[in-house]
Amino acid sequence: MIQIGEIRLAREPLDMRAGPDTALARVINSFGEARHHCAYVFANKRANRMKVLVCDGFGIWLASRRLHQGKFIWSAPRTGGVVTLDSAQLKALVVGLPWQYAAANHVIDRQ
């Protein structure tokens, strides 16, 4: 089981041809370090592909997801500082829902 304690959303796009080493280098450049049990989420410029790099303390995992239609709802503007997500927000983001309104009880809410 992969344990994830913190989720960070990168605002700057990542080339989806990037492998684990390139994604790890981007994490270090963007976030300063790669923390154990932390997931780093990246999208491409068109926001129809996503990669998640997870550091589990023993190595790294790199997962990817592609939408056949539509786009992932990403942070605006696409440049700037780090955005931290909770697990409910990550679940909403992965399926293409507006993660900014995801509540802890997995309900999309505008409050």
Side-chain angles (χ1 to χ4, degrees):
M1 179 67 69
I2 300 172
Q3 180 183 357
I4 299 174
E6 186 176 1
I7 304 160
R8 293 182 166 200
L9 180 76
R11 292 186 177 187
E12 188 177 324
L14 177 70
D15 183 347
M16 290 296 115
R17 296 173 292 181
D21 295 329
T22 303
L24 180 60
R26 173 64 70 86
V27 164
I28 293 169
N29 287 336
S30 297
F31 301 101
E33 63 182 346
R35 297 181 182 186
H36 293 177
H37 308 294
C38 189
Y40 301 93
V41 184
F42 297 93
N44 62 344
K45 287 182 183 178
R46 291 183 283 176
N48 65 344
R49 295 176 185 234
M50 171 191 306
K51 285 203 174 182
V52 179
L53 181 86
V54 178
C55 300
D56 67 0
F58 299 104
I60 56 175
W61 295 81
L62 184 63
S64 63
R65 182 163 177 93
R66 175 181 61 194
L67 293 178
H68 294 290
Q69 294 180 351
K71 294 182 177 187
F72 292 108
I73 308 299
W74 216 254
S75 178
R78 293 292 301 263
T79 60
V82 177
V83 176
T84 303
L85 305 178
D86 62 27
S87 61
Q89 290 173 320
L90 178 62
K91 288 178 183 179
L93 174 64
V94 167
V95 295
L97 295 174
W99 61 269
Q100 295 91 337
Y101 303 115
N105 59 0
H106 305 288
V107 175
I108 302 299
D109 189 355
R110 286 201 172 261
Q111 296 178 357

